[in-house]
Structure formats: C-alpha cells, structure tokens
Amino acid sequence: MPKVTYVATAGDERAVDATAGESVMVAAVKNGVPGIIAECGGNASCATCHVWVREEFLALVGEPGDIEEDLLDMAVSERRDGSRLSCQIPVTPELDGLTVDIPPVQP
C-alpha cells in the first residue's frame, strides 16, 4: 500500500496507508486527516481539499486539468507551484511516500 504523508501548518505529520486508485483526498478523509474538508466529495467543484505537493513529487502527480486550474485560481487563498486539489490526484504505487502540505485555511 502506498503511504501518503499530510503535513499540517504547525508541522504535525500524519502518514496513512492509501489504496491505489483512490484519490489523495479519499485517503485523507478515510483516515480522519484534519484540514481536508472535501465538501464536494471529490467532484472538483469546491477546492476544500487544496494541498501543496512537495517539489520532489510534482512530476509524478502531473499538472492540474482546466477545471482544477479554474478552482485553484478563484478559490484558493495562497496558490503555490505545487497547488493541487487532492481529489484530483489518484494514488499510484509510484506515489508511495508522497508528502503534501495542508494550507492553514481551506476556501
């Protein structure tokens, strides 16, 4: 099982086992990770699962699609190079060890 680590603003880390094929958001919600609100349930319509992907994983997670880009542009208070909606990142075996930072406030 791939592991995904979520890092809160205060630096607290939470590593969870994720199932390949589920999203980084689903793994967070299933494991009660604080800060991932996921209001729309993974439908890419709310941006309340915004994360900052660490630089070493950017190439592996790929670029955001058009709808995700729009949500990140309009709804996210602090957009960074690694900004992604965690609902749009499918977990794969290659992402084992993925680390994402959770913004202090979701939209």
Side-chain angles (χ1 to χ4, degrees):
M1 274 191 158
K3 286 218 181 284
V4 178
T5 300
Y6 303 84
V7 182
T9 304
D12 300 330
E13 294 186 11
R14 179 118 176 239
V16 304
D17 289 323
T19 302
E22 71 185 4
S23 70
V24 172
M25 181 215 73
V26 167
V29 171
K30 280 180 21 181
N31 289 282
V33 175
I36 303 292
I37 300 167
E39 269 182 16
C40 73
N43 292 306
S45 62
C46 72
T48 60
C49 66
H50 176 225
V51 295
W52 296 309
V53 176
R54 297 270 174 104
E55 186 174 344
E56 61 268 25
F57 291 98
L58 289 178
L60 290 172
V61 300
E63 297 290 323
D66 291 340
I67 293 171
E68 184 178 357
E69 283 283 357
D70 289 345
L71 286 166
L72 290 168
D73 282 341
M74 294 185 312
V76 175
S77 57
E78 183 186 353
R79 182 156 183 191
R80 297 181 181 175
D81 288 340
S83 284
R84 290 295 307 270
L85 299 182
S86 60
C87 69
Q88 299 301 298
I89 304 172
V91 174
T92 63
E94 295 77 27
L95 288 180
D96 185 34
L98 172 67
T99 301
V100 298
D101 295 289
I102 303 170
V105 177
Q106 295 287 6

